[in-house]
Amino acid sequence: MTNRFHHLPIRYKLHIIILLASFVALLLATAISLVSQRYMMRQQLSGELRSLSSVIAENSKAGIAFKDTAALDTILHSLSAKSTVISGRIFGMDKELYAEYRNPGLNKVLAKIDNTAEINGGRFAFGSNHVDLVKPVVLDGETIGHLQMLVSLDDLKDYQMLIATLMFGTLFVGLLIAVLL
């Protein structure tokens, strides 16, 4: 291969060098774009879920204070509007489960998740296939319970894969056109 390269005219050598340099630059730009897009999508999801959990925690205060499980079930059922929510649970300070919502379409995802993590304080953690969020429910400065939400990352991963496929496909089509010209 190097022997063939040495015998090429300078014009072709310059074309190859420019093509390779352009390809490496575009490959690097594509990789950086994918990484930054992943970061931004996670930040957006994080903000969205924190807002959603704050609203649900705020609406759950009275239900937890009066142990009104019917009201808490109704509040948690509102999670059905967000198809990526795997489950939502509300606990009292005694760790007693007051209400639970499970997305029937994502039960097999829930079975793969260790859902026995300690429910104390607050937590926001990205797992490999889900987000685990625990939000304290505070009434008059005192924690009276906790909201736990598990959210699937499957839709986010599918979208990222689509974007990556489109970006790399465009990169290689561009390379093919450059080689043919």
Side-chain angles (χ1 to χ4, degrees), residues 67-109:
K67 296 185 180 184
D68 185 356
T69 57
L72 293 172
D73 279 334
T74 301
I75 291 167
L76 281 183
H77 189 69
S78 66
L79 292 173
S80 65
K82 187 152 180 64
S83 63
T84 57
V85 172
I86 300 168
S87 72
R89 304 187 305 172
I90 297 178
F91 297 90
M93 281 309 293
D94 53 2
K95 298 191 177 37
E96 179 184 350
L97 180 64
Y98 288 163
E100 181 173 27
Y101 164 76
R102 288 180 181 226
N103 184 332
L106 297 174
N107 275 336
K108 58 185 168 190
V109 176

Side-chain angles (χ1 to χ4, degrees), residues 7 76 152:
H7 295 301
L76 281 183
S152 172

